[in-house]
Amino acid sequence: MTDNHVILELRNITKHFPGVIANNHVSLSVVEGEIHALVGENGAGKSTLMKIAAGIYKADAGEIIVDGKLQNFHSPQDAFLCGISAVHQEFMLINSLTVLENIVLGFEPRDRLGFLNVREAELRIRELNKKYGLNVPLMAVVGTLPVAIQQQVEILKALYKNARILILDEPTAVLTPQEIGDLFKALRSLKAMGTTIIFVTHKLNEVLSIADRVTVMRGGVVQGTLPVAEVSEEKLAQMMVGREVIFRIQKVQKDVDRSSPILDVRQVNLSSDAGYPILKNINLTVFKGEILGVAGVAGNGQTELVEVITGFRHPDTGEINIRGERFAYISPRKFREDNSYVCQDRRQVGSSPQQSIWENVLIGLQEQRRFSTRSGILKRNAIYGYTRDIVKQFDVRTPSIHTPAGSLSGGNLQRLVLGRELAKDPILLVAEDPTRGLDVGATEYVRTQILQFAAKGKSVLLVSQDLNELLMLSDRIIVLFKGEIVGEIPGDEATPELVGLYMLGLKRGEKNEVAV
Amino acid sequence: MKRQWIDETLKYLLILIIAAIIGAILILIKGEDPLKLAGEVFRYALGTRAGIASTLRWASPVILTGLGIAIAFRVGIGNIGVEGQLYVAALVTAILGYSLTSLAPLTLKIVAISGGMIAAALYALIPAFLLVKWRVNEILSTMMLNYVATWGTEYVVRAFFMESTAVVPRLIATREILPEARLGQLMPPYDLNTSLIIGVVLCVLFYLMYRYTRLGYMLNTLGGNKRFARYGGLNITALTFLVFALSGAVGGIGGSAEILGIHRKFINGFSAGIGWDGLLVSLIAKNNPLGIIPAGLFWGLLKNSGFIVERISSVNRWTIYVLQAVIVLLVTADLYVRPYLKRKATATKQREVL
Amino acid sequence: MIEVLFSSSTLASALRLATPLMLAAIGGAFTYHANVFNIALEGFMLISAFFSVWGTITFGSPWIGLLIGATSAMLASLLFGFLVLKLKADNIVVGLALNLGSLGLTTWLLEAIFGVRGVVMVETGGFPTIDLPLISKIPYLGNVISGQNLLVYLTLAIAIFGEYFIYRNIFGIRLRAVGEYPQAAESVGISVNSYRLYSILLSGLFAGFAGAFLTLSGASMFSENMTAGKGFIALAAVFFSQGRPSLIILASILFGYTEATSVALQQFGVPPQLMLTIPYLITVIALTLISAFPRRAKNARGTASA
């Protein structure tokens, strides 16, 4: 390993998406043989930068320099040819092909007739397997393998193409701690063999345990690059969020009435189609006036929990009580009668992009007599009036209520969605990553709205990947780990470190159940 | 908004010109004079009573089948099985039309058509059920069920309802319907009948339904974004069944009307592809119910032109298929509207990747 | 009646009728794996049917006819590919329009070139039939298998080779990758559109062979709309077998058999129509079973994303 040989340099990379600057004059240099962590919150521009480095996106401006030579990537292959390979969050694997076929795909050793030379491929992959301490069954069909092994297949795919620079985009998001350990072991052996690794994450403890240097991004801009030996989690966290780790928004005075449960989930179990348990014996209660935060590393059952509560999935067993009404399962329609749901994916699920704003607001309300007659004719004026009120009250910036919702910016769309969900005056609000991808202004607006809503004596179940958000808003936090509630922490006792320990499965609460 | 209108009109004009040029070449090669022929065709098709009646006669069924298909395609349901559904409708209508002797003429027509609609709707519910229950791709299942219906109805007629004793092998038909069941002619003595009015009225009604009613809103939402519709608590299963049933029933009228208005009995192979034509009409109209009317009339004109051309020249009427194909291909290959929309969609998608 | 159902002549004609289905279905298998919905097989067959007759009459050899027919179908498939891939037109609509256009064009050509309506005969005859030396001696089987048209044997060989080609050849592996997860294929440098185009051209080629077989075996003639829905039966065979050439052989023979018996059983008063629904009914049932009992790999995909 040559000391301080800069193998990859990104200079002044700028990338715009409609309405957003994802990367604003970003520069980054990566030294050969290091593990370079790239951290930042969701939406900080890490993934975009890495997609540019891997040739998937093309930068609007800026230079990519590999081994001192200016490169111009038009496609991922151009990046391969320079030795850069990326493992994406979403695996690029063909489920019906075997591991071997997936690894060699696009770079197949062939025999004289153009058939796949299985023997040669096998030989090379076994060698790689051995060299890097990986253990992947070559003839297995990829779709039948667990996620952690699929990830190894992705890494092998990169190594097979002689990647010298391996970009891993949030590789631990889908792994258990045990599997994370294995991954780190593999990464260390890759490093020992001279591979340079760029490790994208937003988990600071991982940075400290695996990386040599770390670059912090925030809002599309690099905040700085530091040797890991010189930083602490606090320091990194501060660079990431740009202020003290926990910035409290104006806490609104509010009372939690612990005698009136609004949402009460009892002994819910859920397994996947393939029979894996996803949710195990979930018990939780949200009281009147309370914001209950749900924390967890992505993929530990939060999404499914929300789906069960909002009626998108039927639990295998258990029951859901909402204001004393009991359901073995609830339908989305029934759930939304008196409750609201701000879902994670506001463009694909929470709105209908080609339809107008008023049509997006009307959803679920179309049966109400104030919006349609008994015979089924829409009352346009009432609907328009109601929509205009929401647009005004929640400050949705749009030329007209007839504009397609898809033309709104992310922040405006979320204001519209939140407005729609709050204007119907629900009893319970379920919100899933409500500020994901929003700018600072919109983020604070959404958070304030949620707090004010709870202050009116309403209840909120807040699921978020943003720990700050949970700490800021929640009266209580429960932590999901591998589909189980492993801890419950009162809001005023919660710290990122404490919640983090539960999230990583390093700590378990004694009582698994929330007292009623 | 206005610009878009002009763009659209220009585009359709351009498509017509291209099709006309290709048609002219085909005619020239056959040694006929395309200009003279075109003049003759227009004079017959649009300038004579018989020609107008014939154009409208051919427009009538495809307006109905086109609307039936548009109802499904609007919400993203690929019911390409209208051709089969209309055979089922036609058979039931024919049987009702000759067996219900004691009904008043109007009641008889209504019952016969309704019976056909119900039968077609039920037949369309088979792929709906397969889709809802097991997610069987409805495009494939409806396509296959087309042939099951065309051969199946032929079998049923032959086995149970065959009328003529003289077995002409190619003609498998039921008994003739009662005179009271016949749809009224609009321009006697020509075949054109009240089914044209039924089709136009239905197109307008469906247009109003989509625009002004609760059900229309729900269907638009289902078509706009299915996941959003589910999120909003719409009953997707029920709506899916409803759309299949409506699509089949409306398309079915197209079959029933051919029986009551034209053939007066169920004959095997009577449709000659009006279900497929409906698909192409619906495409030209971009699944808009109001657009179905001019698109259907245009299709009728083309079809009629084929017959006229064959009568007055040496050009085969099937040549018109080439023009129909060219027009449809140019309409789908929408040269500049599509790429624009696509760019917009990817931009939105990319932003969410952040 | 049983005698007729299992007579060697019924089985032999089943094999003969299965051959064009098999050829077209193998073409359809390529587009199936590339995830291109291809209902233009019918049109490709019809175009080739005409041009193979034209080629045979003009050049006096069915082999040149076959070549010209297949080329014409490939040109039609090139148009299909251009519209679907380049101009992003809808698969179904393009397919239907091409079918319609093929019908119009071939009838027009029939008149323009041969000056006839309806039918044109090939006086010089079509492909030779072949007596297999040893197999023809086997009592029952010999009558079924031996004495078939040369193309029948070639087709069976192509189908068997096709199985290996799609599942073992690099082209086939890439094609399936393109169909299943285009982004992933693109990420390793496989051009999705090129592979889709190759698959469409191959579907044209094999549907072209099928069309040539229709005209140049047996009666050796072309008649208006002579494919009469055979392209759709072939498509049914593709979906029935989920694009596996080995199963396509089976499905085609089964469908060919129903066609053969529908004719043979008429003498016993069995209406042919019922038999003719069978390929489609079976395909709907197969599609349902495939969807109702998905293979495990599909489930695992759902879990991975959860």
Side-chain angles (χ1 to χ4, degrees):
Chain A
M1 168 171 144
T2 345
D3 266 353
N4 294 333
H5 168 62
V6 174
I7 189 166
L8 170 69
E9 191 178 356
L10 303 173
R11 259 190 224 156
N12 283 319
I13 300 285
T14 298
K15 176 79 183 171
H16 293 260
F17 289 116
V20 208
I21 303 181
N23 288 159
N24 191 359
H25 294 282
V26 173
S27 296
L28 172 74
S29 51
V30 180
V31 172
E32 184 165 21
E34 72 170 339
I35 297 184
H36 193 116
L38 182 60
V39 299
E41 287 189 294
N42 285 324
K46 307 167 295 216
S47 291
T48 306
L49 184 65
M50 288 303 103
K51 286 191 169 140
I52 289 168
I56 295 168
Y57 290 168
K58 205 161 160 40
D60 300 336
E63 296 170 340
I64 302 172
I65 296 152
V66 185
D67 279 330
K69 259 188 280 176
L70 184 65
Q71 301 287 350
N72 202 354
F73 294 164
H74 294 287
S75 69
Q77 292 83 265
D78 293 346
F80 289 158
L81 293 176
C82 291
I84 302 173
S85 228
V87 175
H88 303 280
Q89 269 171 282
E90 198 177 322
F91 295 153
M92 292 287 167
L93 296 174
I94 317 291
N95 276 334
S96 69
L97 299 186
T98 64
V99 169
L100 184 138
E101 286 166 343
N102 264 289
I103 290 173
V104 301
L105 190 67
F107 299 83
E108 305 87 349
R110 52 183 71 211
D111 60 20
R112 261 168 305 168
L113 291 171
F115 281 76
L116 178 60
N117 190 335
V118 178
R119 188 162 338 146
E120 190 186 323
E122 203 177 336
L123 224 61
R124 273 199 62 192
I125 300 168
R126 283 206 196 290
E127 207 174 290
L128 289 171
N129 244 337
K130 215 166 90 192
K131 192 165 151 196
Y132 297 107
L134 297 169
N135 184 24
V136 178
L138 294 189
M139 294 305 163
V141 173
V142 159
T144 61
L145 295 173
V147 178
I149 305 286
Q150 294 190 352
Q151 191 174 55
Q152 293 191 9
V153 176
E154 280 280 34
I155 293 174
L156 272 175
K157 236 168 93 176
L159 296 174
Y160 180 83
K161 286 165 217 149
N162 300 319
R164 292 180 302 145
I165 304 169
L166 186 62
I167 299 171
L168 299 168
D169 193 0
E170 309 242 1
T172 57
V174 290
L175 301 181
T176 65
Q178 170 69 36
E179 290 165 342
I180 292 175
D182 291 346
L183 174 69
F184 283 9
K185 230 190 290 170
L187 294 186
R188 289 198 184 95
S189 81
L190 282 172
K191 181 186 156 185
M193 301 290 202
T195 310
T196 309
I197 295 165
I198 304 178
F199 188 95
V200 182
T201 184
H202 56 250
K203 291 180 215 155
L204 303 179
N205 58 335
E206 292 176 355
V207 174
L208 297 181
S209 73
I210 187 100
D212 300 309
R213 292 199 305 154
V214 54
T215 296
V216 182
M217 285 186 77
R218 168 163 39 97
V221 178
V222 166
Q223 298 297 311
T225 300
L226 299 164
V228 165
E230 290 171 22
V231 295
S232 63
E233 272 194 50
E234 287 71 28
K235 167 101 191 190
L236 283 178
Q238 207 181 327
M239 288 171 78
M240 267 168 70
V241 296
R243 35 195 139 173
E244 282 306 308
V245 178
I246 297 161
F247 58 114
R248 296 249 170 223
I249 328 182
Q250 207 65 37
K251 261 278 187 187
V252 193
Q253 196 58 41
K254 66 190 183 69
D255 300 307
V256 175
D257 180 358
R258 302 211 29 122
S259 65
S260 37
I262 298 298
L263 171 70
D264 190 29
V265 175
R266 290 286 117 203
Q267 288 164 353
V268 160
N269 284 287
L270 176 74
S271 18
S272 71
D273 297 342
Y276 288 105
I278 298 175
L279 292 175
K280 289 181 236 166
N281 196 32
I282 299 289
N283 290 293
L284 66 83
T285 310
V286 188
F287 296 102
K288 188 170 185 304
E290 185 181 43
I291 300 179
L292 177 67
V294 179
V297 176
N300 275 287
Q302 303 94 307
T303 308
E304 291 80 2
L305 176 63
V306 169
E307 285 177 346
V308 164
I309 292 170
T310 54
F312 277 72
R313 261 192 205 230
H314 294 181
D316 301 341
T317 59
E319 61 187 54
I320 295 147
N321 300 283
I322 299 182
R323 272 208 310 182
E325 204 177 339
R326 217 165 93 180
F327 302 95
Y329 60 82
I330 194 166
S331 68
R333 182 196 184 86
K334 181 75 193 159
F335 176 82
R336 277 178 54 90
E337 254 174 31
D338 298 318
N339 312 294
S340 281
Y341 173 30
V342 172
C343 63
Q344 190 186 43
D345 190 343
R346 54 185 159 269
R347 275 197 204 276
Q348 307 294 323
V349 183
S351 69
S352 179
Q354 275 132 31
Q355 285 181 285
S356 66
I357 287 179
W358 71 262
E359 283 171 299
N360 272 278
V361 164
L362 184 62
I363 190 78
L365 307 174
Q366 69 277 359
E367 312 272 350
Q368 291 183 9
R369 274 307 84 88
R370 58 180 169 145
F371 295 129
S372 65
T373 64
R374 183 186 293 271
S375 53
I377 308 294
L378 293 179
K379 294 178 179 165
R380 289 260 187 153
N381 287 336
I383 298 166
Y384 293 167
Y386 180 77
T387 307
R388 287 203 183 92
D389 287 347
I390 289 177
V391 165
K392 203 164 151 197
Q393 194 192 334
F394 290 84
D395 196 21
V396 181
R397 275 165 228 154
T398 168
S400 142
I401 58 166
H402 300 284
T403 311
S407 66
L408 296 177
S409 72
N412 267 321
L413 183 61
Q414 190 69 336
R415 282 168 200 264
L416 179 71
V417 169
L418 191 72
R420 174 184 73 210
E421 295 304 306
L422 293 184
K424 59 187 248 200
D425 198 26
I427 298 154
L428 168 73
L429 170 70
V430 175
E432 199 180 2
D433 288 324
T435 60
R436 183 169 171 242
L438 299 188
D439 62 27
V440 181
T443 301
E444 292 205 353
Y445 182 83
V446 169
R447 289 178 183 168
T448 309
Q449 287 293 329
I450 291 175
L451 273 179
Q452 280 174 359
F453 172 72
K456 285 191 286 184
K458 307 295 182 128
S459 310
V460 178
L461 183 75
L462 174 67
V463 180
S464 181
Q465 300 203 44
D466 184 338
L467 205 46
N468 286 330
E469 181 164 277
L470 289 174
L471 294 170
M472 208 183 307
L473 300 179
S474 310
D475 298 300
R476 254 183 323 140
I477 294 175
I478 57 168
V479 184
L480 273 177
F481 179 71
K482 287 184 139 186
E484 259 181 297
I485 297 180
V486 292
E488 182 200 332
I489 310 151
D492 40 14
E493 291 171 25
T495 62
E497 293 75 24
L498 183 63
V499 179
L501 288 177
Y502 283 107
M503 282 168 66
L504 297 170
L506 301 172
K507 191 172 158 68
R508 251 186 116 90
E510 273 106 68
K511 49 173 188 165
N512 198 355
E513 200 162 316
V514 183
V516 180
Chain B
M1 247 353 207
K2 207 161 195 174
R3 245 210 75 125
Q4 217 183 342
W5 261 101
I6 297 170
D7 279 0
E8 285 282 295
T9 317
L10 282 177
K11 198 191 73 199
Y12 277 97
L13 269 175
L14 185 71
I15 289 170
L16 283 180
I17 292 169
I18 296 174
I21 292 171
I22 293 176
I25 293 170
L26 292 180
I27 291 167
L28 265 177
I29 295 177
K30 289 233 49 181
E32 301 269 349
D33 179 354
L35 280 179
K36 195 175 135 233
L37 209 53
E40 291 285 290
V41 165
F42 276 107
R43 206 168 58 75
Y44 273 109
L46 300 173
T48 64
R49 213 172 114 85
I52 292 171
S54 178
T55 293
L56 295 177
R57 175 262 174 276
W58 290 111
S60 311
V62 295
I63 287 177
L64 285 161
T65 54
L67 178 62
I69 285 159
I71 290 168
F73 272 59
R74 270 179 79 92
V75 296
I77 291 173
N79 175 22
I80 59 173
V82 166
E83 177 77 6
Q85 288 145 18
L86 67 85
Y87 267 94
V88 176
L91 177 58
V92 171
T93 295
I95 294 165
L96 291 175
Y98 71 67
S99 52
L100 300 175
T101 44
S102 54
L103 292 182
L106 184 65
T107 324
L108 176 58
K109 292 183 197 62
I110 292 174
V111 169
I113 290 181
S114 310
M117 288 169 74
I118 292 168
L122 288 175
Y123 193 64
L125 286 178
I126 298 171
F129 178 77
L130 296 179
L131 172 67
V132 166
K133 178 87 182 161
W134 291 299
R135 298 185 186 187
V136 177
N137 183 327
E138 79 281 7
I139 296 176
L140 303 179
S141 57
T142 51
M143 192 177 96
M144 299 302 151
L145 288 171
N146 276 335
Y147 298 96
V148 175
T150 45
W151 291 120
T153 48
E154 200 176 310
Y155 165 75
V156 170
V157 170
R158 196 173 150 162
F160 306 108
F161 299 103
M162 191 77 164
E163 185 46 28
S164 60
T165 40
V167 186
V168 185
R170 297 304 280 172
L171 196 72
I172 294 166
T174 58
R175 198 194 310 172
E176 191 156 318
I177 56 164
L178 301 164
E180 295 80 29
R182 287 183 199 166
L183 292 180
Q185 290 174 333
L186 292 180
M187 295 167 71
Y190 303 112
D191 276 342
L192 174 66
N193 56 64
T194 45
S195 65
L196 177 69
I197 296 170
I198 299 177
V200 170
V201 167
L202 278 177
C203 283
V204 174
L205 282 181
F206 269 91
Y207 170 77
L208 295 174
M209 189 271 279
Y210 286 119
R211 205 171 150 83
Y212 292 109
T213 72
R214 189 165 63 217
L215 177 63
Y217 167 72
M218 295 198 280
L219 292 174
N220 289 339
T221 305
L222 182 63
N225 181 353
K226 193 171 172 182
R227 293 171 72 189
F228 175 64
R230 185 164 130 83
Y231 158 87
L234 299 188
N235 189 338
I236 307 237
T237 307
L239 287 175
T240 303
F241 279 122
L242 179 71
V243 167
F244 266 104
L246 280 176
S247 172
V250 171
I253 303 176
S256 299
E258 284 291 288
I259 303 306
L260 299 188
I262 315 282
H263 304 292
R264 305 200 174 140
K265 56 185 151 192
F266 179 95
I267 307 171
N268 68 323
F270 77 89
S271 131
I274 57 177
W276 296 114
D277 285 351
L279 186 63
L280 302 174
V281 165
S282 158
L283 166 95
I284 295 175
K286 302 229 154 79
N287 302 329
N288 176 347
L290 279 191
I292 298 281
I293 300 170
L297 290 172
F298 176 67
W299 202 258
L301 175 64
L302 280 180
K303 204 156 179 171
N304 189 22
S305 306
F307 291 114
I308 296 170
V309 162
E310 185 168 81
R311 206 165 52 229
I312 63 175
S313 77
S314 64
V315 178
N316 189 318
R317 82 186 131 92
W318 287 6
T319 308
I320 214 78
Y321 287 171
V322 178
L323 299 197
Q324 290 179 334
V326 168
I327 289 166
V328 167
L329 288 177
L330 290 172
V331 172
T332 31
D334 209 324
L335 294 170
Y336 48 78
V337 178
R338 278 279 182 87
Y340 169 72
L341 285 176
K342 214 189 127 226
R343 226 176 298 139
K344 217 164 144 190
T346 33
T348 318
K349 227 171 157 184
Q350 279 185 343
R351 185 155 64 198
E352 291 300 316
V353 171
L354 275 176
Chain C
M1 195 157 127
I2 300 287
E3 243 166 67
V4 172
L5 278 179
F6 297 103
S7 76
S8 60
S9 69
T10 307
L11 288 175
S13 72
L15 189 58
R16 185 168 43 76
L17 290 164
T19 302
L21 299 181
M22 217 181 289
L23 280 166
I26 286 164
F30 287 109
T31 43
Y32 176 90
H33 285 294
N35 206 5
V36 174
F37 188 65
N38 184 0
I39 56 174
L41 288 177
E42 172 88 4
F44 299 161
M45 277 171 84
L46 191 58
I47 294 242
S48 162
F50 176 83
F51 278 100
S52 53
V53 162
W54 177 77
T56 309
I57 290 175
T58 311
F59 298 99
S61 153
W63 298 105
I64 295 175
L66 175 77
L67 197 71
I68 289 173
T71 309
S72 67
M74 272 180 96
L75 284 176
S77 70
L78 186 65
L79 179 63
F80 180 93
F82 174 74
L83 291 161
V84 166
L85 300 175
K86 196 79 188 170
L87 300 185
K88 306 285 172 208
D90 183 76
N91 284 336
I92 299 176
V93 175
V94 172
L96 280 180
L98 280 181
N99 290 344
L100 200 64
S102 308
L103 183 53
L105 190 68
T106 48
T107 38
W108 180 80
L109 285 168
L110 193 60
E111 284 184 26
I113 294 178
F114 297 110
V116 296
R117 288 201 68 161
V119 183
V120 62
M121 302 293 295
V122 180
E123 309 295 342
T124 50
F127 298 115
T129 55
I130 301 241
D131 282 312
L132 297 176
L134 283 171
I135 293 172
S136 61
K137 300 266 161 35
I138 306 173
Y140 175 80
L141 214 58
N143 290 336
V144 177
I145 297 175
S146 182
Q148 293 277 9
N149 195 302
L150 179 59
L151 271 195
V152 174
Y153 306 117
L154 284 178
T155 301
L156 281 169
I158 287 171
I160 292 163
F161 178 71
E163 175 83 8
Y164 283 93
F165 193 71
I166 286 176
Y167 290 94
R168 293 278 174 269
N169 187 282
I170 291 171
F171 177 86
I173 292 169
R174 289 184 173 191
L175 192 66
R176 287 185 297 138
V178 164
E180 186 173 326
Y181 193 174
Q183 291 88 344
E186 198 84 70
S187 81
V188 289
I190 297 170
S191 163
V192 172
N193 264 359
S194 313
Y195 275 81
R196 290 214 163 123
L197 182 63
Y198 299 151
S199 78
I200 291 169
L201 289 175
L202 282 169
S203 80
L205 177 71
F206 285 100
F209 289 157
F213 180 89
L214 273 185
T215 46
L216 298 177
S217 69
S220 293
M221 54 160 233
F222 175 84
S223 63
E224 279 179 359
N225 194 21
M226 84 174 290
T227 45
K230 286 209 161 51
F232 288 98
I233 303 187
L235 196 60
V238 174
F239 286 106
F240 175 86
S241 53
Q242 292 187 279
R244 275 205 99 100
S246 53
L247 289 175
I248 283 175
I249 299 178
L250 213 76
S252 307
I253 291 176
L254 180 65
F255 294 174
Y257 181 74
T258 57
E259 202 183 333
T261 45
S262 76
V263 178
L265 287 183
Q266 271 192 77
Q267 51 178 306
F268 299 97
V270 178
Q273 292 86 356
L274 218 47
M275 296 301 287
L276 293 173
T277 63
I278 286 177
Y280 306 106
L281 266 182
I282 288 182
T283 303
V284 172
I285 292 167
L287 286 171
T288 306
L289 291 177
I290 290 162
S291 308
F293 303 102
R295 281 175 305 166
R296 270 198 94 121
K298 289 224 174 97
N299 277 337
R301 185 188 238 183
T303 330
S305 63

